[in-house]
Amino acid sequence: MDNKSHNHNMLKGYNMLFYFAGSMIMHEPSEECIVDFWERGILKNLPVSSSNPNFVIAASQLRDSFADKTIFGKLLREDYLRLFTTQFPALAPAFESRYGKEISDSSGYHSSSVTEFYNSYGWQSKFKGKIDDDHLGIELLFLTLLIDKYLILDDEACRVEMGKEIHRFINHHILSWVPEWNNRVQMHANTLSFKGIGNLILACSEDIFVLFGEKLTSTISTDFLRN
């Protein structure tokens, strides 16, 4: 497999993890579906691997998360409600606006509404009016769309610019608050499943941020990956 195909498959793998993790924090888990998903052992072999310490921890947590299937789904649902639901005082709310931050860079950029970022691409969440735009699940969905756009671009200059946009989005709308959110997940989650999901989101965001922070053309340096 040549390097371009390797990079393409690697980014697709990260997108699969973003889709999975985003859906787990955005929707209350169905006990039957969740038990079936975990029981099949899908999370024991993730589509990418990384030497990022957060990724290593996440992979271990997810591998060890499935125990007694008779109570697994119930425990996961209860944990979801405690951590993320708006019906109760959520212990780890997954909304960017719930985390105080002052983000600026050397160019004087200050973090603005994530909706403005969506609008600049003419994108509107299909959950508009039901789930706020700054929910982490929505932000991860948008990130996967940016990565998909990057993967289908043929023009090298356009790919470089899209890479910069991915890097900028992660910097200002994910890594600006997800580390604090994940700290709360690690502190309050009762299940290894959600601890693993929290670390997985952080680790994958960090990895993609590093990859697109380099001077990208059609090649991505993967020196720090074991994929």
Side-chain angles (χ1 to χ4, degrees):
M1 181 181 296
D2 61 32
N3 197 47
K4 186 174 181 179
S5 295
H6 169 81
N7 294 336
H8 184 279
N9 290 337
M10 178 183 63
L11 290 173
K12 281 290 187 183
Y14 275 110
N15 261 9
M16 288 174 60
L17 294 178
F18 281 135
Y19 278 125
F20 158 71
S23 66
M24 285 296 299
I25 63 170
M26 195 157 56
H27 305 291
E28 183 177 330
S30 163
E31 292 185 22
E32 183 177 345
C33 292
I34 290 298
V35 170
D36 180 63
F37 184 83
W38 252 264
E39 193 172 26
R40 283 183 287 159
I42 294 173
L43 296 177
K44 291 186 177 181
N45 296 291
L46 300 179
V48 296
S49 60
S50 167
S51 59
N52 181 333
N54 287 320
F55 193 101
V56 174
I57 293 171
S60 176
Q61 288 171 326
L62 291 171
R63 279 196 303 269
D64 296 338
S65 62
F66 187 72
D68 185 348
K69 71 177 183 179
T70 62
I71 61 171
F72 179 76
K74 178 177 180 292
L75 294 177
L76 205 62
R77 181 175 177 274
E78 289 175 352
D79 219 13
Y80 174 91
L81 294 174
R82 292 175 59 257
L83 293 168
F84 310 126
T85 186
T86 57
Q87 298 175 3
F88 303 96
L91 296 175
F95 294 93
E96 180 180 351
S97 56
R98 296 289 299 273
Y99 297 82
K101 56 189 176 66
E102 291 292 335
I103 304 300
S104 63
D105 59 22
S106 58
S107 65
Y109 175 89
H110 290 273
S111 179
S112 58
S113 167
V114 71
T115 302
E116 294 177 14
F117 211 119
Y118 300 160
N119 290 342
S120 70
Y121 281 87
W123 184 77
Q124 180 173 293
S125 165
K126 65 180 180 180
F127 301 101
K128 190 78 172 179
K130 298 179 181 178
I131 303 176
D132 290 345
D133 280 347
D134 69 331
H135 189 282
L136 181 54
I138 303 296
E139 294 187 350
L140 293 179
L141 178 60
F142 180 71
L143 176 58
T144 64
L145 296 177
L146 293 183
I147 293 173
D148 282 339
K149 283 181 178 290
Y150 173 87
L151 290 172
I152 63 175
L153 288 172
D154 291 324
D155 182 81
E156 186 173 303
C158 290
R159 286 167 63 88
V160 170
E161 289 306 309
M162 182 55 69
K164 291 178 181 178
E165 285 292 276
I166 292 169
H167 187 265
R168 185 166 71 94
F169 181 75
I170 294 174
N171 187 36
H172 296 295
H173 292 295
I174 296 183
L175 292 183
S176 57
W177 66 281
V178 164
E180 182 182 349
W181 168 80
N182 184 49
N183 285 339
R184 295 195 191 183
V185 172
Q186 301 308 312
M187 182 183 301
H188 297 296
N190 289 332
T191 62
L192 276 178
S193 301
F194 276 116
K195 288 180 184 289
I197 288 166
N199 277 323
L200 185 69
I201 290 173
L202 177 58
C204 290
S205 301
E206 290 172 335
D207 286 355
I208 295 296
F209 180 74
V210 171
L211 292 174
F212 284 100
E214 298 172 1
K215 293 181 180 179
L216 300 181
T217 55
S218 59
T219 302
I220 298 174
S221 172
T222 57
D223 292 342
F224 75 111
L225 295 174
R226 298 196 313 272
N227 182 42

